[in-house]
mmCIF file of all heavy atoms in Angstrom:
data_model
loop_
_atom_site.group_PDB
_atom_site.id
_atom_site.type_symbol
_atom_site.label_atom_id
_atom_site.label_comp_id
_atom_site.label_asym_id
_atom_site.label_seq_id
_atom_site.Cartn_x
_atom_site.Cartn_y
_atom_site.Cartn_z
ATOM 1 N N GLY A 6 0.788 -1.230 0.000
ATOM 2 C CA GLY A 6 0.000 0.000 0.000
ATOM 3 C C GLY A 6 0.816 1.275 0.000
ATOM 4 O O GLY A 6 0.264 2.366 0.182
ATOM 5 N N GLN A 7 2.136 1.171 -0.215
ATOM 6 C CA GLN A 7 2.998 2.361 -0.172
ATOM 7 C C GLN A 7 2.575 3.378 -1.220
ATOM 8 O O GLN A 7 2.280 3.027 -2.368
ATOM 9 C CB GLN A 7 4.460 1.978 -0.382
ATOM 10 C CG GLN A 7 5.412 3.168 -0.324
ATOM 11 C CD GLN A 7 6.872 2.767 -0.325
ATOM 12 O OE1 GLN A 7 7.235 1.684 0.123
ATOM 13 N NE2 GLN A 7 7.718 3.654 -0.818
ATOM 14 N N ILE A 8 2.577 4.659 -0.807
ATOM 15 C CA ILE A 8 2.263 5.774 -1.696
ATOM 16 C C ILE A 8 3.544 6.571 -1.894
ATOM 17 O O ILE A 8 4.090 7.122 -0.937
ATOM 18 C CB ILE A 8 1.171 6.680 -1.093
ATOM 19 C CG1 ILE A 8 -0.131 5.883 -0.908
ATOM 20 C CG2 ILE A 8 0.952 7.908 -1.955
ATOM 21 C CD1 ILE A 8 -1.198 6.634 -0.138
ATOM 22 N N GLY A 9 4.037 6.659 -3.117
ATOM 23 C CA GLY A 9 5.214 7.462 -3.417
ATOM 24 C C GLY A 9 6.502 6.870 -2.884
ATOM 25 O O GLY A 9 6.540 5.736 -2.395
ATOM 26 N N ASN A 10 7.575 7.674 -2.987
ATOM 27 C CA ASN A 10 8.906 7.230 -2.575
ATOM 28 C C ASN A 10 9.512 8.102 -1.487
ATOM 29 O O ASN A 10 10.717 8.099 -1.293
ATOM 30 C CB ASN A 10 9.841 7.199 -3.785
ATOM 31 C CG ASN A 10 9.453 6.103 -4.750
ATOM 32 O OD1 ASN A 10 9.176 4.983 -4.344
ATOM 33 N ND2 ASN A 10 9.396 6.440 -6.021
ATOM 34 N N VAL A 11 8.692 8.865 -0.784
ATOM 35 C CA VAL A 11 9.176 9.725 0.292
ATOM 36 C C VAL A 11 9.190 8.916 1.590
ATOM 37 O O VAL A 11 8.233 8.195 1.892
ATOM 38 C CB VAL A 11 8.269 10.966 0.440
ATOM 39 C CG1 VAL A 11 8.663 11.790 1.656
ATOM 40 C CG2 VAL A 11 8.337 11.817 -0.826
ATOM 41 N N ALA A 12 10.285 9.018 2.345
ATOM 42 C CA ALA A 12 10.377 8.370 3.653
ATOM 43 C C ALA A 12 10.104 9.416 4.740
ATOM 44 O O ALA A 12 10.363 10.610 4.550
ATOM 45 C CB ALA A 12 11.752 7.741 3.854
ATOM 46 N N TYR A 13 9.595 8.941 5.863
ATOM 47 C CA TYR A 13 9.255 9.821 6.973
ATOM 48 C C TYR A 13 9.847 9.277 8.265
ATOM 49 O O TYR A 13 9.859 8.067 8.494
ATOM 50 C CB TYR A 13 7.733 9.909 7.151
ATOM 51 C CG TYR A 13 7.027 10.584 6.014
ATOM 52 C CD1 TYR A 13 6.634 9.866 4.886
ATOM 53 C CD2 TYR A 13 6.757 11.943 6.057
ATOM 54 C CE1 TYR A 13 5.992 10.489 3.830
ATOM 55 C CE2 TYR A 13 6.110 12.577 4.998
ATOM 56 C CZ TYR A 13 5.734 11.836 3.892
ATOM 57 O OH TYR A 13 5.101 12.457 2.845
ATOM 58 N N GLY A 14 10.302 10.188 9.112
ATOM 59 C CA GLY A 14 10.681 9.873 10.481
ATOM 60 C C GLY A 14 9.774 10.694 11.375
ATOM 61 O O GLY A 14 9.847 11.922 11.353
ATOM 62 N N VAL A 15 8.895 10.041 12.125
ATOM 63 C CA VAL A 15 7.858 10.744 12.878
ATOM 64 C C VAL A 15 8.091 10.608 14.380
ATOM 65 O O VAL A 15 8.191 9.496 14.899
ATOM 66 C CB VAL A 15 6.454 10.200 12.514
ATOM 67 C CG1 VAL A 15 5.369 11.033 13.205
ATOM 68 C CG2 VAL A 15 6.239 10.176 11.007
ATOM 69 N N CYS A 16 8.167 11.760 15.067
ATOM 70 C CA CYS A 16 8.321 11.826 16.521
ATOM 71 C C CYS A 16 6.950 12.124 17.134
ATOM 72 O O CYS A 16 6.326 13.122 16.773
ATOM 73 C CB CYS A 16 9.260 12.959 16.917
ATOM 74 S SG CYS A 16 10.877 12.920 16.169
ATOM 75 N N TYR A 17 6.501 11.274 18.061
ATOM 76 C CA TYR A 17 5.192 11.469 18.682
ATOM 77 C C TYR A 17 5.170 10.812 20.062
ATOM 78 O O TYR A 17 6.138 10.158 20.464
ATOM 79 C CB TYR A 17 4.076 10.927 17.777
ATOM 80 C CG TYR A 17 4.127 9.437 17.551
ATOM 81 C CD1 TYR A 17 3.237 8.591 18.186
ATOM 82 C CD2 TYR A 17 5.085 8.869 16.711
ATOM 83 C CE1 TYR A 17 3.293 7.223 17.997
ATOM 84 C CE2 TYR A 17 5.151 7.506 16.516
ATOM 85 C CZ TYR A 17 4.250 6.689 17.158
ATOM 86 O OH TYR A 17 4.318 5.333 16.972
ATOM 87 N N ASN A 18 4.072 11.002 20.774
ATOM 88 C CA ASN A 18 3.918 10.433 22.125
ATOM 89 C C ASN A 18 5.055 10.841 23.055
ATOM 90 O O ASN A 18 5.603 10.006 23.773
ATOM 91 C CB ASN A 18 3.820 8.903 22.099
ATOM 92 C CG ASN A 18 2.472 8.404 21.646
ATOM 93 O OD1 ASN A 18 1.520 9.164 21.586
ATOM 94 N ND2 ASN A 18 2.400 7.133 21.322
ATOM 95 N N THR A 19 5.386 12.108 23.081
ATOM 96 C CA THR A 19 6.413 12.589 24.014
ATOM 97 C C THR A 19 5.919 12.363 25.437
ATOM 98 O O THR A 19 4.759 12.614 25.742
ATOM 99 C CB THR A 19 6.686 14.085 23.770
ATOM 100 O OG1 THR A 19 7.078 14.264 22.419
ATOM 101 C CG2 THR A 19 7.779 14.605 24.680
ATOM 102 N N ASP A 20 6.812 11.864 26.294
ATOM 103 C CA ASP A 20 6.409 11.566 27.665
ATOM 104 C C ASP A 20 7.125 12.473 28.666
ATOM 105 O O ASP A 20 7.964 13.287 28.297
ATOM 106 C CB ASP A 20 6.619 10.085 27.994
ATOM 107 C CG ASP A 20 8.073 9.638 27.894
ATOM 108 O OD1 ASP A 20 8.994 10.440 28.205
ATOM 109 O OD2 ASP A 20 8.300 8.474 27.518
ATOM 110 N N GLU A 21 6.771 12.310 29.938
ATOM 111 C CA GLU A 21 7.318 13.149 31.021
ATOM 112 C C GLU A 21 8.796 12.882 31.290
ATOM 113 O O GLU A 21 9.462 13.673 31.934
ATOM 114 C CB GLU A 21 6.516 12.919 32.309
ATOM 115 C CG GLU A 21 5.057 13.307 32.197
ATOM 116 C CD GLU A 21 4.856 14.786 31.957
ATOM 117 O OE1 GLU A 21 5.577 15.604 32.551
ATOM 118 O OE2 GLU A 21 3.973 15.124 31.145
ATOM 119 N N GLU A 22 9.323 11.755 30.820
ATOM 120 C CA GLU A 22 10.724 11.407 31.051
ATOM 121 C C GLU A 22 11.611 11.782 29.863
ATOM 122 O O GLU A 22 12.675 11.205 29.670
ATOM 123 C CB GLU A 22 10.855 9.897 31.336
ATOM 124 C CG GLU A 22 10.332 9.478 32.697
ATOM 125 C CD GLU A 22 8.806 9.353 32.717
ATOM 126 O OE1 GLU A 22 8.231 8.825 31.750
ATOM 127 O OE2 GLU A 22 8.200 9.819 33.689
ATOM 128 N N ASP A 23 11.163 12.732 29.044
ATOM 129 C CA ASP A 23 11.907 13.174 27.862
ATOM 130 C C ASP A 23 12.112 12.054 26.849
ATOM 131 O O ASP A 23 13.140 11.974 26.191
ATOM 132 C CB ASP A 23 13.255 13.799 28.243
ATOM 133 C CG ASP A 23 13.081 15.174 28.847
ATOM 134 O OD1 ASP A 23 12.094 15.854 28.497
ATOM 135 O OD2 ASP A 23 13.926 15.574 29.656
ATOM 136 N N GLY A 24 11.127 11.206 26.732
ATOM 137 C CA GLY A 24 11.158 10.158 25.738
ATOM 138 C C GLY A 24 10.079 10.386 24.696
ATOM 139 O O GLY A 24 9.189 11.226 24.869
ATOM 140 N N PHE A 25 10.161 9.640 23.604
ATOM 141 C CA PHE A 25 9.169 9.755 22.539
ATOM 142 C C PHE A 25 9.196 8.491 21.689
ATOM 143 O O PHE A 25 10.175 7.756 21.664
ATOM 144 C CB PHE A 25 9.446 10.987 21.661
ATOM 145 C CG PHE A 25 10.771 10.949 20.950
ATOM 146 C CD1 PHE A 25 10.872 10.517 19.630
ATOM 147 C CD2 PHE A 25 11.940 11.342 21.597
ATOM 148 C CE1 PHE A 25 12.104 10.468 18.979
ATOM 149 C CE2 PHE A 25 13.164 11.303 20.951
ATOM 150 C CZ PHE A 25 13.247 10.866 19.642
ATOM 151 N N ASP A 26 8.103 8.253 21.000
ATOM 152 C CA ASP A 26 8.034 7.176 20.027
ATOM 153 C C ASP A 26 8.449 7.730 18.679
ATOM 154 O O ASP A 26 8.234 8.914 18.386
ATOM 155 C CB ASP A 26 6.616 6.597 19.948
ATOM 156 C CG ASP A 26 6.232 5.832 21.197
ATOM 157 O OD1 ASP A 26 7.116 5.174 21.786
ATOM 158 O OD2 ASP A 26 5.061 5.881 21.587
ATOM 159 N N TYR A 27 9.038 6.869 17.843
ATOM 160 C CA TYR A 27 9.541 7.292 16.535
ATOM 161 C C TYR A 27 9.261 6.183 15.535
ATOM 162 O O TYR A 27 9.572 5.016 15.787
ATOM 163 C CB TYR A 27 11.047 7.543 16.634
ATOM 164 C CG TYR A 27 11.695 8.081 15.381
ATOM 165 C CD1 TYR A 27 11.754 9.452 15.146
ATOM 166 C CD2 TYR A 27 12.278 7.231 14.441
ATOM 167 C CE1 TYR A 27 12.376 9.962 14.010
ATOM 168 C CE2 TYR A 27 12.903 7.728 13.304
ATOM 169 C CZ TYR A 27 12.939 9.100 13.092
ATOM 170 O OH TYR A 27 13.554 9.596 11.969
ATOM 171 N N ILE A 28 8.632 6.547 14.431
ATOM 172 C CA ILE A 28 8.414 5.612 13.324
ATOM 173 C C ILE A 28 9.276 6.045 12.153
ATOM 174 O O ILE A 28 9.248 7.223 11.754
ATOM 175 C CB ILE A 28 6.944 5.568 12.871
ATOM 176 C CG1 ILE A 28 6.072 4.858 13.890
ATOM 177 C CG2 ILE A 28 6.810 4.861 11.522
ATOM 178 C CD1 ILE A 28 4.618 4.717 13.481
ATOM 179 N N ALA A 29 10.041 5.116 11.604
ATOM 180 C CA ALA A 29 10.784 5.320 10.361
ATOM 181 C C ALA A 29 10.024 4.541 9.297
ATOM 182 O O ALA A 29 9.910 3.317 9.387
ATOM 183 C CB ALA A 29 12.207 4.794 10.488
ATOM 184 N N GLY A 30 9.456 5.259 8.315
ATOM 185 C CA GLY A 30 8.648 4.546 7.341
ATOM 186 C C GLY A 30 8.226 5.388 6.165
ATOM 187 O O GLY A 30 8.906 6.346 5.790
ATOM 188 N N VAL A 31 7.073 5.016 5.600
ATOM 189 C CA VAL A 31 6.545 5.630 4.381
ATOM 190 C C VAL A 31 5.046 5.861 4.528
ATOM 191 O O VAL A 31 4.402 5.301 5.410
ATOM 192 C CB VAL A 31 6.800 4.742 3.145
ATOM 193 C CG1 VAL A 31 8.285 4.646 2.836
ATOM 194 C CG2 VAL A 31 6.187 3.363 3.321
ATOM 195 N N GLU A 32 4.491 6.659 3.621
ATOM 196 C CA GLU A 32 3.045 6.830 3.578
ATOM 197 C C GLU A 32 2.422 5.597 2.929
ATOM 198 O O GLU A 32 2.952 5.069 1.942
ATOM 199 C CB GLU A 32 2.674 8.078 2.778
ATOM 200 C CG GLU A 32 1.177 8.327 2.743
ATOM 201 C CD GLU A 32 0.765 9.543 1.930
ATOM 202 O OE1 GLU A 32 1.629 10.171 1.278
ATOM 203 O OE2 GLU A 32 -0.446 9.847 1.948
ATOM 204 N N VAL A 33 1.301 5.146 3.489
ATOM 205 C CA VAL A 33 0.581 4.009 2.931
ATOM 206 C C VAL A 33 -0.893 4.374 2.766
ATOM 207 O O VAL A 33 -1.409 5.280 3.429
ATOM 208 C CB VAL A 33 0.711 2.739 3.805
ATOM 209 C CG1 VAL A 33 2.160 2.240 3.832
ATOM 210 C CG2 VAL A 33 0.207 2.977 5.216
ATOM 211 N N ALA A 34 -1.569 3.635 1.871
ATOM 212 C CA ALA A 34 -2.991 3.857 1.633
ATOM 213 C C ALA A 34 -3.844 3.325 2.787
ATOM 214 O O ALA A 34 -4.850 3.925 3.150
ATOM 215 C CB ALA A 34 -3.417 3.208 0.319
ATOM 216 N N ASP A 35 -3.450 2.189 3.342
ATOM 217 C CA ASP A 35 -4.127 1.640 4.514
ATOM 218 C C ASP A 35 -3.170 0.696 5.230
ATOM 219 O O ASP A 35 -2.133 0.328 4.699
ATOM 220 C CB ASP A 35 -5.439 0.929 4.142
ATOM 221 C CG ASP A 35 -5.221 -0.297 3.286
ATOM 222 O OD1 ASP A 35 -4.638 -1.287 3.792
ATOM 223 O OD2 ASP A 35 -5.627 -0.284 2.109
ATOM 224 N N ALA A 36 -3.562 0.321 6.446
ATOM 225 C CA ALA A 36 -2.671 -0.479 7.283
ATOM 226 C C ALA A 36 -3.040 -1.963 7.302
ATOM 227 O O ALA A 36 -2.440 -2.738 8.033
ATOM 228 C CB ALA A 36 -2.671 0.083 8.706
ATOM 229 N N ALA A 37 -3.995 -2.365 6.482
ATOM 230 C CA ALA A 37 -4.530 -3.731 6.553
ATOM 231 C C ALA A 37 -3.500 -4.816 6.241
ATOM 232 O O ALA A 37 -3.498 -5.865 6.879
ATOM 233 C CB ALA A 37 -5.722 -3.861 5.614
#
């Protein structure tokens, strides 16, 4: 389901201990 050839590094879910979640990936049409 990949859309295009752009890669993304996404920082989210920052917590109180100066941590965060990070996804290295691509845009997709759906996650199924």
Side-chain angles (χ1 to χ4, degrees):
Q7 181 171 332
I8 298 172
N10 291 315
V11 173
Y13 293 86
V15 185
C16 305
Y17 64 105
N18 284 346
T19 303
D20 61 34
E21 298 296 320
E22 288 79 42
D23 286 331
F25 62 97
D26 291 325
Y27 184 88
I28 288 183
V31 293
E32 182 181 6
V33 294
D35 65 67

